[in-house]
Amino acid sequence: MAILVTGGTGYIGSHTVVDLLNHDYDVVIVDNFVNSKPEVLNRITRITGKTPRFYEVDVCDEAKLEEVFKKENITDIIHFAGLKSVAESVAKPQLYIDNNIGSSKVLLRLMTKYHVHNIVFSSSATVYGVPDHVPLKESDKVGGCTNPYGQTKLDIEYLLKDYAKEHNDANIAILRYFNPIGAHSSGLIGEDPQGIPNNLMPYITQVAVGKRDHLNVYGSDYNTPDGTGVRDYIHVVDLARGHLFALRKLESKPGLVIYNLGTGKGTSVLDLVRAFEKANDIKINYVICDRRPGDIDENYADCHKAWEEMGFKTEFDIVDACRDSWHWQKNNPNGYGD
Ligand code: NAD
Ligand code: UD1
């Protein structure tokens, strides 16, 4: 009765593994460390006092992954493994197709062969493309993705829908994450981007720790209250908890279900900078510059469905997330490399 967590040493995966272990789930992680470090496993043990079973396996390697299915009694899968850099996906779209879609196809084949019925998939609000309104509901139109990374997420959603049509006993939760930020309150695990961060919060924390001189605010002429981009920032610990709610939902054999995981609140770039300054009493220098290609004015989630059907809602706000992101960065200025 084990939960297979692919990509379980990554940012969201590691927080989810901690929550699963704290709730006495039997956890098996597979990861190939393409974007994470083995040290994460020690940190998970330090937080939980438990050591999950771990296999260094590329999910695209069907033969090796099958060994894990043979050895372990897997009943459920949470599929985090994937590449997620928008810029890299523009430069290397085939890599993203092969890794993200390829790994999902391998998992579905092994699910059929080993009679595993339940899977939770990490999708993204990016599947909504350029929204014509907010908040975004699960029933809103998808498509028009602005980059190959986003397109792989949408293509995997379609793969899963086809799989559910052919397999009456499959239970699939597609979770569309909005923008995860924050870290575990222990300061032992958090987001550890390689190189220059693409995303806003790790950039802010690197300015705060003195690794970067200032934040570049990408545009102040968006159609938003203060002109900077608006997003729905969800604390990663809340997001992780959402996966346990999804696993419980799958126990009721719902077939395929889709949920937004967000807070339902829009926060601008400057709101987040101010929240960080207030939470941590640190000044963040910033410079307003040109828009980043592909960025949208605003998106935030309608969270009613996750609440009504799974009883899930967030507990933390952006001030908590700013405090926890900083705690992680301050204690680990070079991430897991320290
Ligand atoms: P992450 O890069 O920190 O974690 C992904 C993990 O998967 C890494 O540990 C990486 O080494 C592993 N991995 C990648 N390809 C693999 C493969 N073929 N075989 C084995 N392991 C592999 O990313 P994250 O932020 O934790 O995101 C987790 C999932 O959620 C991803 O699928 C991502 O696309 C999705 N998502 C993330 C965000 C976000 O803002 N972080 C938003 C929406 C969706
Ligand atoms: C980005 C990706 C999206 C992906 C998501 C989570 C793009 C175009 N979109 O979304 O596909 O699912 O990350 O990984 O890359 N900002 C700055 N300065 C910075 C960084 C960001 O001003 O240095 C602004 C952005 O313009 C945006 C907001 O901060 O308004 C959030 O940016 P980011 O954290 O990159 O997330 P998304 O753009 O929502």
Side-chain angles (χ1 to χ4, degrees):
M1 294 281 286
I3 314 285
L4 177 69
V5 183
T6 75
T9 54
Y11 173 45
I12 306 169
S14 57
H15 287 82
T16 305
V17 166
V18 163
D19 208 10
L20 288 168
L21 293 173
N22 283 340
H23 285 84
D24 291 328
Y25 282 94
D26 186 23
V27 177
V28 173
I29 300 176
V30 295
D31 202 302
N32 63 355
F33 296 126
V34 66
N35 197 37
S36 59
K37 303 264 169 59
E39 172 59 17
V40 175
L41 294 165
N42 298 329
R43 304 291 180 95
I44 289 172
T45 302
R46 276 174 69 185
I47 295 170
T48 63
K50 295 177 186 169
T51 305
R53 292 192 293 296
F54 175 78
Y55 297 87
E56 188 172 343
V57 169
D58 183 332
V59 181
C60 298
D61 185 336
E62 192 159 350
K64 266 199 173 170
L65 190 63
E66 182 159 4
E67 292 307 312
V68 179
F69 275 76
K70 278 184 187 153
K71 220 167 146 192
E72 302 286 350
N73 179 18
I74 294 161
T75 52
D76 301 71
I77 298 171
I78 307 181
H79 182 31
F80 292 108
L83 297 172
K84 63 165 183 177
S85 159
V86 169
E88 187 183 46
S89 79
V90 172
K92 300 176 183 170
Q94 197 58 47
L95 174 68
Y96 275 65
I97 292 167
D98 291 346
N99 191 73
N100 294 2
I101 301 179
S103 62
S104 304
K105 285 183 173 170
V106 165
L107 273 179
L108 290 177
R109 278 198 292 273
L110 292 174
M111 278 176 69
T112 308
K113 192 163 175 185
Y114 289 86
H115 310 291
V116 178
H117 303 304
N118 296 353
I119 183 165
V120 179
F121 171 62
S122 300
S123 189
S124 167
T126 194
V127 300
Y128 293 113
V130 182
D132 46 30
H133 65 271
V134 280
L136 287 156
K137 279 194 166 112
E138 291 83 348
S139 54
D140 284 333
K141 73 163 176 52
V142 291
C145 296
T146 53
N147 57 73
Y149 159 72
Q151 189 62 43
T152 64
K153 290 287 162 192
L154 187 57
D155 290 345
I156 297 164
E157 288 201 4
Y158 287 130
L159 263 183
L160 293 170
K161 285 177 184 168
D162 286 343
Y163 186 86
K165 277 186 207 145
E166 263 187 64
H167 297 82
N168 290 334
D169 49 6
N171 298 298
I172 299 174
I174 292 174
L175 302 181
R176 292 180 180 156
Y177 310 155
F178 281 67
N179 292 51
I181 59 169
H184 190 264
S185 59
S186 62
L188 287 169
I189 55 172
E191 190 169 11
D192 182 19
Q194 308 304 302
I196 302 171
N198 295 311
N199 297 115
L200 180 57
M201 180 56 96
Y203 208 105
I204 292 176
T205 60
Q206 291 200 4
V207 171
V209 84
K211 275 182 122 175
R212 318 254 161 227
D213 177 61
H214 63 271
L215 169 73
N216 295 309
V217 174
Y218 296 141
S220 60
D221 58 351
Y222 283 104
N223 185 20
T224 60
D226 68 14
T228 67
V230 166
R231 300 289 185 274
D232 185 339
Y233 296 98
I234 175 170
H235 196 299
V236 68
V237 170
D238 275 329
L239 183 65
R241 207 164 44 83
H243 294 76
L244 277 74
F245 282 70
L247 286 178
R248 273 178 229 127
K249 176 74 191 174
L250 294 185
E251 282 169 20
S252 69
K253 303 193 191 311
L256 185 139
V257 286
I258 303 180
Y259 298 110
N260 287 337
L261 291 184
T263 66
K265 289 197 192 85
T267 298
S268 76
V269 176
L270 294 182
D271 288 337
L272 195 68
V273 168
R274 282 188 212 105
F276 188 93
E277 291 182 331
K278 196 168 158 212
N280 301 310
D281 201 17
I282 295 174
K283 177 107 189 69
I284 299 296
N285 292 326
Y286 67 84
V287 171
I288 306 276
C289 51
D290 288 345
R291 289 180 175 206
R292 179 172 66 178
D295 273 355
I296 54 174
D297 298 79
E298 60 179 344
N299 76 357
Y300 53 92
D302 183 317
C303 303
H304 286 94
K305 195 173 173 220
W307 169 242
E308 282 155 17
E309 296 188 12
M310 298 199 289
F312 172 77
K313 67 174 170 201
T314 54
E315 289 177 355
F316 297 111
D317 61 18
I318 55 165
V319 176
D320 299 315
C322 288
R323 181 198 60 224
D324 293 337
S325 285
W326 175 233
H327 186 209
W328 151 253
Q329 178 76 80
K330 189 175 50 171
N331 288 354
N332 305 271
N334 297 310
Y336 295 108
D338 286 335

